[in-house]
């Protein structure tokens, strides 16, 4: 019985880990990181305009995005 419960717990944690995290649009990175002025995922570049709203480039063909990172050294 203990082994069955252990295996059930192991399966449940593996299933939870296999679910992808909710992905936000690249522009939303600016909402979560207000000190960052310019950020990228390697495909799109976003920059905060004078009004504080992000303006983003378009994605090129066959681009594989990476994790979004701030380009101006702030996080």
């Amino acid at each position: 019985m203990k082994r069955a419960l252990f295996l059930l717990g192991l399966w449940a944690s593996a299933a939870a880990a296999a679910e992808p995290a909710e992905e936000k649009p690249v522009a939303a990175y600016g909402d979560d990181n207000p000190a960052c002025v310019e950020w990228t995922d390697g495909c799109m570049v976003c920059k905060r305009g004078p009004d504080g709203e992000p303006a983003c480039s378009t994605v090129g063909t066959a681009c594989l995005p990476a994790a979004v990172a701030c380009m101006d050294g702030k996080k």
Side-chain angles (χ1 to χ4, degrees):
M1 182 67 169
K2 287 182 182 181
R3 182 175 181 187
L5 288 174
F6 172 76
L7 292 175
L8 180 60
L10 187 62
W11 175 81
S13 63
E19 293 179 21
E22 180 183 341
E23 291 187 28
K24 290 184 174 183
V26 174
Y29 179 88
D31 296 336
D32 296 340
N33 300 278
C36 185
V37 176
E38 190 172 358
W39 57 96
T40 185
D41 67 352
C43 294
M44 281 176 49
V45 176
C46 296
K47 188 170 187 175
R48 200 174 303 282
D51 61 357
E53 292 297 313
C56 300
S57 65
T58 56
V59 179
T61 57
C63 186
L64 298 174
V68 181
C70 187
M71 294 174 49
D72 61 354
K74 299 177 184 173
K75 291 189 179 195

